[in-house]
Amino acid sequence: MDTDGEQHVERLRCLVTGASGYVGGRLVPELLEAGHQVRCLARSPGKLRDHPWAGDVETVRGDVTDAESVAAAMRDIDVAYYLVHALGSGAGFEDTDRDAARVFAEQAEAAGVRRIVYLGGLTPQGVPEQLLSPHLRSRSEVGRIFLESGVPATVLRAAVVIGSGSASFEMLRYLTERLPVMVTPSWVRTRTQPIGVRDVLRYLAGSAGMPDDVDRAFDIGGPDVLTYREMMRRYAVVGGLRRRLIVPVPVLTPGLSSLWVGLVTPVPASIARPLTESLRHEVVCHEHDIARYVPDLPGRPMPFDETLALALRRVREAQVVTRWSSAAVPGAPSDPLPTDPDWAGGSLYHDERELPVDASREALWKVVEGIGGDNGWYSFPLAWAVRGWLDRFVGGVGLRRGRRDAERLRVGDSLDFWRVEEIEPVRLLRLRAEMRLPGLAWLEMYVESDAEGRTRYRQRALFHPRGLLGHVYWWAVSPFHAVVFGGMARNITQAAAKGMSARRSAPPAGRIRRRRGRRGPRR
């Protein structure tokens, strides 16, 4: 204690894995605000470059499955946060999660790390592990690996995490908003205990300072225990919607449920399935011991309705810090761009367009950076929609992930079925395709000036085919490029010119105010 009676918080060195993901991207600033030093382990450090906190952390390249890179990242670390998982990566995700957890635990012990903190899933009591969904079973196993390691561990077990941009919130939001009448699976009657992401972050950050003799799991949840049907009805009330009619039926299997969710919401079936499977059994907290070490605050944990209202406000105000799609799609390519020096070479197809623009570079950039999501792709909407549906049909992410922010992009953002790979303001936006393709694809948009200083727009689509199928694919779709890519270039330049023209013709703000002032007295 100091002379004012305030307790000093020990400054710890924290390693955060999964910093590009939904929870990790929000935890980093919480740890910094608490006075800790933060190091982030990332497969692609560049994806963290544009986060507001990027300059305040140390970022190292590595992967949790690679012992050598994990060992280097663990050096001089006090608390190691494990916030990664292989959810949606295919049938072998349990093996991947198991191997990664073992590597992480072994390297933490070898480096003398004081604590591992892991966010896992809340499991039902009395249900044998072999009867759990693969997702919950894997989460439980990872937690057990950490608890059996030689490093004290804090395993936080949560059910449904609600916050702006979380997969569970997006699933709940779109199901409720789009379907006034729903024929739903029987799991909508299963009780669960949702928790707001703010409370999850508070427990995660607070776990860093737990005593060294604490080595256990904690159930964490909000104050409300609800069925999914009650959650949808409460969302309708909070969101100002009419009462929803929900009719549960027993015939929808987990596979069919995930396809149904994938059809209605932006969450793809590969992620929806483990989420819906986790709702087969009742998952509620059976203790609240976490409060001994991270004391509850007034009104916290936050009630469900308040959590919903806060999340909705963040969405409507475009203040979503991270989204469920912030993390890279498991298995998504990370190969170098074909023009990079370390590219291995091979066949490369490209489609290039270049047009003059009757607008400033800033006006053109505003259109380029605003592409995708609700703003669309400025070309043949039906073709883009069909491509999105085809991608969803074969298990891809589809076109409906949208954008995190309606106006601004940063490296690592998901953008429908693309991901922002590089962004240089008022010059370059490079997107890497994450749809299912027999090859690798990029889309680049350049804002340039010619020799006379006039603005020009340059667009380049690149495709590196994989095998014979890749070549067949390119030649099959190339007849449509003039419509899709050519129309896209024309419409982007026209939108920039139109926006520039509107700004030129708009009366000055002062003139508008004077006109309003003259009308006022005549009323």
Side-chain angles (χ1 to χ4, degrees):
M1 293 282 187
D2 64 13
T3 56
D4 295 325
E6 294 181 356
Q7 186 175 5
H8 285 295
V9 176
E10 183 182 3
R11 182 178 173 85
L12 301 171
R13 293 161 296 188
C14 301
L15 174 68
V16 177
T17 62
S20 64
Y22 178 73
V23 173
R26 299 186 181 210
L27 176 62
V28 170
E30 295 283 332
L31 294 173
L32 291 172
E33 188 176 348
H36 303 309
Q37 293 177 293
V38 177
R39 177 184 298 159
C40 297
L41 175 67
R43 286 179 296 178
S44 303
K47 291 182 179 179
L48 305 180
R49 185 190 71 195
D50 294 335
H51 284 266
W53 40 260
D56 299 321
V57 304
E58 177 190 359
T59 303
V60 297
R61 184 184 301 275
D63 190 286
V64 289
T65 60
D66 175 44
E68 185 176 348
S69 64
V70 173
M74 291 282 189
R75 193 171 297 120
D76 300 323
I77 288 297
D78 298 310
V79 181
Y81 284 89
Y82 192 83
L83 302 173
V84 296
H85 56 75
L87 175 64
S89 62
F93 81 91
E94 289 185 83
D95 293 334
T96 303
D97 277 340
R98 181 185 308 114
D99 294 342
R102 286 173 176 166
V103 166
F104 198 79
E106 289 167 1
Q107 297 306 319
E109 184 174 10
V113 171
R114 291 164 52 180
R115 177 163 301 279
I116 294 173
V117 181
Y118 170 60
L119 177 62
L122 190 58
T123 55
Q125 282 196 338
V127 177
E129 192 170 275
Q130 62 269 23
L131 297 181
L132 296 177
S133 69
H135 168 56
L136 278 184
R137 186 169 60 238
S138 179
R139 290 293 186 93
S140 177
E141 182 181 23
V142 169
R144 188 168 60 251
I145 288 171
F146 291 145
L147 291 172
E148 292 174 355
S149 72
V151 180
T154 300
V155 175
L156 302 179
R157 306 190 302 180
V160 177
V161 177
I162 299 294
S164 59
S166 75
S168 296
F169 173 74
E170 293 286 280
M171 197 169 90
L172 174 67
R173 173 189 170 200
Y174 280 90
L175 286 176
T176 310
E177 290 186 353
R178 292 183 172 177
L179 300 176
V181 178
M182 286 174 272
V183 177
T184 58
S186 57
W187 50 255
V188 299
R189 293 178 291 196
T190 304
R191 295 199 317 156
T192 188
Q193 193 163 350
I195 182 171
V197 68
R198 284 194 172 192
D199 288 309
V200 172
L201 296 172
R202 187 168 61 87
Y203 290 138
L204 283 169
S207 295
M210 283 188 176
D212 293 341
D213 60 349
V214 176
D215 185 22
R216 56 163 291 184
F218 296 91
D219 293 352
I220 59 173
D224 302 288
V225 177
L226 306 163
T227 66
Y228 206 86
R229 175 165 54 180
E230 291 170 333
M231 289 166 62
M232 286 190 285
R233 286 180 170 162
R234 287 201 183 191
Y235 181 96
V237 173
V238 173
L241 306 173
R242 292 182 179 179
R243 180 179 175 85
R244 271 30 192 166
L245 179 60
I246 303 168
V247 183
V249 294
V251 294
L252 289 179
T253 64
L256 289 175
S257 294
S258 63
L259 291 175
W260 170 66
V261 172
L263 181 68
V264 177
T265 80
V267 181
S270 59
I271 293 178
R273 178 158 188 163
L275 293 177
T276 56
E277 283 182 336
S278 300
L279 294 168
R280 287 186 300 175
H281 302 288
E282 178 177 290
V283 279
V284 299
C285 298
H286 293 277
E287 45 87 6
H288 188 55
D289 297 346
I290 187 70
R292 300 178 190 171
Y293 307 99
V294 187
D296 291 337
L297 302 174
R300 305 289 290 272
M302 191 179 293
F304 180 72
D305 289 358
E306 290 183 27
T307 300
L308 279 184
L310 178 61
L312 275 171
R313 187 164 68 250
R314 290 284 183 265
V315 169
R316 291 166 180 168
E317 294 175 353
Q319 294 182 348
V320 180
V321 180
T322 60
R323 295 182 73 225
W324 62 270
S325 56
S326 297
V329 174
S334 58
D335 306 64
L337 186 74
T339 51
D340 288 347
D342 55 350
W343 185 53
S347 300
L348 180 66
Y349 295 111
H350 59 89
D351 179 280
E352 293 196 44
R353 315 275 167 171
E354 187 170 350
L355 291 170
V357 188
D358 184 20
S360 66
R361 292 184 58 173
E362 289 74 18
L364 176 57
W365 178 254
K366 184 176 181 180
V367 176
V368 169
E369 192 177 12
I371 201 165
D374 291 339
N375 298 326
W377 290 88
Y378 293 91
S379 173
F380 202 5
L382 180 60
W384 286 93
V386 169
R387 185 62 184 86
W389 282 111
L390 288 174
D391 194 55
R392 301 277 282 201
F393 181 75
V394 296
V397 295
L399 194 65
R400 291 183 299 164
R401 289 191 301 183
R403 301 171 52 109
R404 177 190 58 85
D405 185 291
E407 297 180 354
R408 299 287 180 265
L409 292 174
R410 65 190 184 200
V411 171
D413 272 0
S414 62
L415 184 58
D416 293 325
F417 47 38
W418 304 88
R419 189 168 297 276
V420 179
E421 184 173 83
E422 183 58 81
I423 185 167
E424 298 178 23
V426 200
R427 180 182 177 272
L428 165 68
L429 174 62
R430 179 186 299 141
L431 308 176
R432 178 188 287 270
E434 289 190 336
M435 73 281 279
R436 298 294 178 92
L437 288 171
L440 307 173
W442 293 263
L443 178 62
E444 293 182 326
M445 288 164 272
Y446 289 88
V447 175
E448 299 176 337
S449 300
D450 62 17
E452 286 77 34
R454 294 170 299 193
T455 304
R456 296 192 67 83
Y457 172 70
R458 183 161 62 91
Q459 176 181 292
R460 187 169 70 145
L462 298 167
F463 182 69
H464 178 43
R466 185 187 305 114
L468 177 62
L469 183 59
H471 293 274
V472 171
Y473 171 83
W474 174 264
W475 289 111
V477 300
S478 59
F480 303 99
H481 287 173
V483 175
V484 176
F485 291 131
M488 182 180 183
R490 288 191 302 272
N491 292 332
I492 284 176
T493 58
Q494 289 171 7
K498 185 177 179 180
M500 191 75 177
S501 177
R503 282 192 290 275
R504 286 170 181 161
S505 60
R511 189 183 306 168
I512 294 174
R513 285 194 296 268
R514 286 196 298 272
R515 231 178 359 242
R516 285 175 179 166
R518 285 197 301 267
R519 282 200 300 265
R522 288 201 295 266
R523 290 184 175 177

